[in-house]
Amino acid sequence: MDPRRSGQDVIRCELCKENVGEMYCDFCHIRLCIPCIGSHIANGYDNHKVVPFQKRKSTLVYTRCTIHENKRNKFKCVECNVCLCSLCVSSNSHKGHDLVHLSQVNLTTKQSVRKDERELKNIISPTYDAIVSELESKVAGLDNAYDEVIFSIIQHGEKLHKEVDNVIGNMKNELNEMKNSHLDILKKKLDGVVQQRNSIQQGMRYLWEIEQSNEIMEIMEYKSRIEEFRQLPPKVQITLPTFNAKSINTEDMRNIFGFLTRFSSALDEQGYTLKRKQPEIKEFLNEEELVTTFITELEGLNSIAVVENENIWINRKASDMNCFDSEGRLTKTIHSSTGEIPNDITVTEDGDILYTDWKSSSINVVKNGTANIEEKITLHGWIPVNLCVTFFNDLLVSMYKEDGSESKVVRYTDFVEKQTIQYGDNGQQLLSANNFIKYLAENRNRDICVADNGANAVVVVAQSGRLRFQYKGQPQISPNQQQFHPFGIATDSQSHILTSDSDNHCIHIIDADGNFLRHLNSFSDPWGICVDENDILYVAELITGNVKKIKYLK
C-alpha cells in the first residue's frame, strides 16, 4: 500500500516528501530526512541547527547583530536593555555594564512563564470559574427569589379583596422593574467576569506558546499579566426587596397595604478570594509501585525536595547540598556558608533553595541558577531546625530555644515573622521541648503538620495554631516492631499526610483527620520524603544513599 494514501502516515521529510523526517532544523522549523540534511545546510552551516525530531525547538534562535552581520546576539546589556553579540560586548560602548547571557534570560523567563501558568491554571482560573458559577446561580435563582416576594404580596392582597387590586398591580410592576434592573446588574457583571475569564484562558494559551517557543525575541517580549489577573472583580452585593404588610385601611390603601424596599447593589472589593483548584479524587493502588531507584553514592541522606519534577535536591549529614536530575545524575553541589551541616532544605516556587544553618542560627537562600548564598533570617536565642514553604509562599520554620527548654513553629511572610505556634488552649507546649528534628509540611486544608520526633508523634495544628490531633503510630503487632519515631513528612493532593518511620522501614499514611490508612513498605531506613505535583513520592534512604520514586495512587 502506498503510505501516502494510507489512513495513518509517518512524519515525512518536508524537502523530498518521501523519506521519514527523523531530523528537524531548529532555525528553519522544517522536518528533514537524513539524506536531505546536506542539501539543506549547503547555503551555510551556521544558518542551520539540525537536531533529532524529538529534540526539536531545543535550540535557542539568536537574532543577528545589526552591527556585526556574521555574529548573533547572545548577551543582554542590563543597563541599556539591548541585545549584544560577542564583539559588541568587547567594545567600549558597554564597558562596565552588567551583562547576562540570553540563555539565562530564556531560563528566567521560562520559569516566570511556568510560574504564571501554574497560578493561572491552579488558582486564578478556578477562582473565576467559581465566580461565574456563583453569578449564574444568582441569575438562575432570581425568579424564585422575586416570586417569593410576589407570593407574600398576593397573600396579603387576598385579604383586602377588590379594594387593593390596583395597589397590587402597581407593586407587581415595581417589582418587575426592580427585577429587570437587578437582572441587568447581574448580567453585566457576569458578562464582565466571563470576558476576563476568556482573557485568562487566552493568556494561558499564549503562555503555552511562549513556553514552547524558541524564538528569543518572542520570549524577551513576554510581559507578565499576572498582576492584572490577580485583581479579582468586586463582588456584587444585592439586597432583595421585601414586602412589609400593614393593617388594612381603605382611606389610605397605598400606605396601609405595605411597601417594598428597594433592592440594593454594592461592589465589595474584598468579596472574592483566590482559591486553589480542587484536585481530582484518586484511590490507592493495591500495592505501591517502584518507579525507579537511583544511587546517589552519598551517605546520611535526610532532607529531599523536588523542583518541577526535574531537579531533586538532597541534604545529607555533610555541609553540601546536592542536586540530581530526574535520571539520578549529579548536576550541582552547593556548600553551606558556614561549612556546617544544614539542618534542612526546601525549595520555593521560584526554584530558590532555602536551608537552615544551626551554627549561625539563620535561614539562608540560594537563588535559582546561582551559587550565591544570602542570609535572610537570623534568630537570637533560638536554633532553626526544619522548614517548609506553604502553598501561598509563606515560610514555616520549626526551632528550639538554645537551652532546649522550648520548641515552636514560626510563620514568615516575605521573611517577616507573622505568626508563632507554641502553646495549646491549656497553656501546654504543642511540641516536645528538645533539639530533636521536627520536619514540617502544610496540608491542602492549610493545616500545619509536624513530625515531632521527640514526642513520637505527628502533631497537626490548624492554620490558626489550634491543635487538631496527634498521631502516635499503630499498636505493636509483632515483637520486632520498634516504637514509632516520625522523621520526614509530606502531604499529597488528597490531603493525605505521609511520614517516614525509619526504625520500622516504612511510610505511614493518614488522612487529614489523623485516621490511619495504610503503610508503604518498600524502603530501608527512609528519612526525608516529599511528594511532587503528580503525587509521586520521593524517599531518601538514610543508610543506603538511595532515592526511590514511588507511585501509590491511581
Side-chain angles (χ1 to χ4, degrees):
M1 178 183 292
D2 185 348
R4 290 168 294 181
R5 298 180 182 275
S6 63
Q8 284 186 316
D9 193 12
V10 295
I11 299 175
R12 300 199 172 275
C13 174
E14 295 183 48
L15 293 187
C16 67
K17 311 297 184 183
E18 296 289 339
N19 297 323
V20 176
E22 302 177 53
M23 309 301 287
Y24 189 86
C25 181
D26 257 354
F27 287 2
C28 303
H29 302 302
I30 64 172
R31 296 186 297 272
L32 298 168
C33 64
I34 294 177
C36 288
I37 293 176
S39 59
H40 180 69
I41 66 175
N43 65 338
Y45 180 79
D46 291 339
N47 297 324
H48 306 277
K49 180 68 175 180
V50 178
V51 298
F53 186 77
Q54 293 82 358
K55 295 184 178 181
R56 62 192 181 279
K57 294 189 177 183
S58 61
T59 306
L60 289 179
V61 179
Y62 297 100
T63 58
R64 288 192 177 277
C65 179
T66 57
I67 301 174
H68 310 98
E69 294 183 358
N70 294 327
K71 291 291 184 179
R72 291 188 178 269
N73 296 319
K74 295 188 177 182
F75 301 89
K76 176 185 177 182
C77 177
V78 177
E79 184 173 334
C80 304
N81 193 30
V82 295
C83 295
L84 308 171
C85 71
S86 57
L87 294 179
C88 292
V89 170
S90 61
S91 68
N92 292 327
S93 301
H94 301 276
K95 187 176 182 180
H97 293 184
D98 290 333
L99 302 175
V100 60
H101 200 281
L102 290 183
S103 61
Q104 183 60 43
V105 174
N106 171 68
L107 176 63
T108 304
T109 304
K110 289 292 181 69
Q111 288 172 343
S112 177
V113 167
R114 287 193 290 270
K115 179 182 177 183
D116 288 357
E117 183 182 31
R118 286 195 300 270
E119 183 168 352
L120 285 173
K121 178 181 178 181
N122 297 325
I123 299 178
I124 296 179
S125 183
T127 301
Y128 271 87
D129 289 340
I131 294 172
V132 169
S133 177
E134 178 184 329
L135 289 172
E136 288 176 338
S137 177
K138 287 183 177 181
V139 171
L142 195 62
D143 284 343
N144 289 336
Y146 277 85
D147 285 346
E148 290 180 4
V149 180
I150 292 174
F151 179 73
S152 65
I153 294 173
I154 294 174
Q155 268 194 326
H156 192 60
E158 289 175 350
K159 299 176 184 178
L160 302 180
H161 301 291
K162 295 181 180 181
E163 291 181 283
V164 297
D165 285 346
N166 188 49
V167 175
I168 293 174
N170 290 336
M171 289 191 171
K172 290 175 66 177
N173 291 335
E174 288 181 34
L175 273 172
N176 286 328
E177 291 176 1
M178 284 189 282
K179 181 176 73 172
N180 291 334
S181 299
H182 191 158
L183 187 61
D184 287 343
I185 291 173
L186 288 177
K187 285 187 174 180
K188 287 178 181 178
K189 187 63 179 176
L190 175 60
D191 291 342
V193 173
V194 170
Q195 183 178 0
Q196 184 71 338
R197 183 183 66 174
N198 292 339
S199 297
I200 289 173
Q201 292 171 346
Q202 292 175 1
M204 291 172 67
R205 290 193 294 270
Y206 174 63
L207 289 176
W208 182 88
E209 292 173 358
I210 291 295
E211 187 174 2
Q212 297 300 315
S213 176
N214 64 342
E215 296 290 344
I216 190 63
M217 292 309 297
E218 290 181 5
I219 295 171
M220 292 179 60
E221 289 172 1
Y222 170 74
K223 302 294 183 182
S224 176
R225 296 179 63 192
I226 201 70
E227 288 298 331
E228 172 190 343
F229 291 139
R230 285 188 183 131
Q231 301 300 317
L232 299 181
K235 188 172 185 178
V236 178
Q237 298 286 1
I238 296 178
T239 303
L240 292 171
T242 58
F243 174 70
N244 299 280
K246 288 186 175 182
S247 58
I248 299 173
N249 187 322
T250 56
E251 294 180 1
D252 194 3
M253 186 63 63
R254 169 66 178 172
N255 293 327
I256 296 300
F257 183 79
F259 61 93
L260 290 170
T261 60
R262 299 289 300 178
F263 80 90
S264 62
S265 174
L267 299 179
D268 183 1
E269 297 292 344
Q270 305 300 321
Y272 294 113
T273 57
L274 291 171
K275 299 177 181 178
R276 295 189 67 87
K277 181 180 180 180
Q278 293 298 314
E280 62 176 313
I281 298 176
K282 299 180 181 179
E283 297 180 355
F284 286 109
L285 295 172
N286 292 333
E287 293 185 8
E288 66 266 26
E289 297 177 1
L290 177 62
V291 178
T292 187
T293 298
F294 66 82
I295 302 171
T296 68
E297 298 183 352
L298 302 175
E299 296 180 353
L301 304 188
N302 42 39
S303 305
I304 184 170
V306 178
V307 184
E308 296 182 347
N309 306 331
E310 296 176 356
N311 296 320
I312 304 165
W313 281 93
I314 296 174
N315 178 35
R316 61 177 181 142
K317 297 183 182 300
S319 64
D320 54 13
M321 295 162 279
N322 299 277
C323 182
F324 295 82
D325 64 18
S326 59
E327 301 298 323
R329 294 182 291 262
L330 180 64
T331 60
K332 185 182 297 183
T333 297
I334 297 174
H335 294 271
S336 67
S337 56
T338 61
E340 295 295 336
I341 302 173
N343 284 339
D344 194 10
I345 61 172
T346 191
V347 182
T348 70
E349 190 176 37
D350 295 327
D352 299 338
I353 307 301
L354 294 170
Y355 73 90
T356 55
D357 191 314
W358 66 269
K359 185 173 184 179
S360 59
S361 298
S362 63
I363 292 95
N364 304 273
V365 62
V366 183
K367 298 297 290 184
N368 186 19
T370 73
N372 299 324
I373 298 175
E374 182 181 355
E375 189 173 287
K376 284 293 187 180
I377 301 171
T378 302
L379 304 178
H380 301 283
W382 291 82
I383 307 297
V385 187
N386 300 102
L387 73 174
C388 76
V389 176
T390 71
F391 295 109
F392 288 92
N393 294 317
D394 284 348
L395 176 65
L396 298 175
V397 182
S398 63
M399 57 187 72
Y400 63 88
K401 209 166 185 179
E402 286 182 343
D403 62 4
S405 62
E406 299 178 37
S407 295
K408 63 182 179 180
V409 172
V410 178
R411 180 189 299 271
Y412 295 90
T413 302
D414 294 329
F415 301 106
V416 177
E417 183 175 334
K418 293 297 183 181
Q419 181 188 21
T420 297
I421 300 171
Q422 186 171 6
Y423 299 104
D425 295 337
N426 58 3
Q428 299 295 314
Q429 292 198 63
L430 293 170
L431 304 174
S432 61
N434 49 53
N435 62 355
F436 289 14
I437 58 173
K438 294 176 178 63
Y439 282 95
L440 298 154
E442 185 189 46
N443 212 345
R444 295 306 192 274
N445 60 3
R446 309 298 298 277
D447 282 353
I448 300 169
C449 311
V450 184
D452 191 344
N453 186 267
N456 305 328
V458 171
V459 180
V460 177
V461 299
Q463 184 182 6
S464 63
R466 177 183 55 84
L467 177 67
R468 287 201 61 230
F469 64 85
Q470 291 184 341
Y471 170 75
K472 297 188 175 183
Q474 294 299 294
Q476 185 170 359
I477 58 176
S478 71
N480 296 326
Q481 182 175 332
Q482 302 297 312
Q483 186 174 13
F484 174 64
H485 289 291
F487 288 84
I489 194 166
T491 62
D492 63 21
S493 68
Q494 308 300 296
S495 294
H496 298 143
I497 303 170
L498 298 84
T499 187
S500 56
D501 183 355
S502 185
D503 294 340
N504 290 297
H505 309 291
C506 67
I507 305 289
H508 297 239
I509 303 181
I510 60 177
D511 67 16
D513 296 315
N515 301 304
F516 175 77
L517 299 176
R518 67 187 301 170
H519 285 127
L520 305 179
N521 298 293
S522 305
F523 315 103
S524 173
D525 300 298
W527 193 289
I529 63 173
C530 68
V531 176
D532 69 15
E533 59 187 20
N534 297 317
D535 288 320
I536 297 297
L537 171 65
Y538 292 74
V539 181
E541 295 183 337
L542 176 69
I543 306 300
T544 66
N546 295 341
V547 171
K548 292 182 176 179
K549 291 174 61 175
I550 301 293
K551 182 178 180 181
Y552 61 97
L553 295 176
K554 294 181 179 178

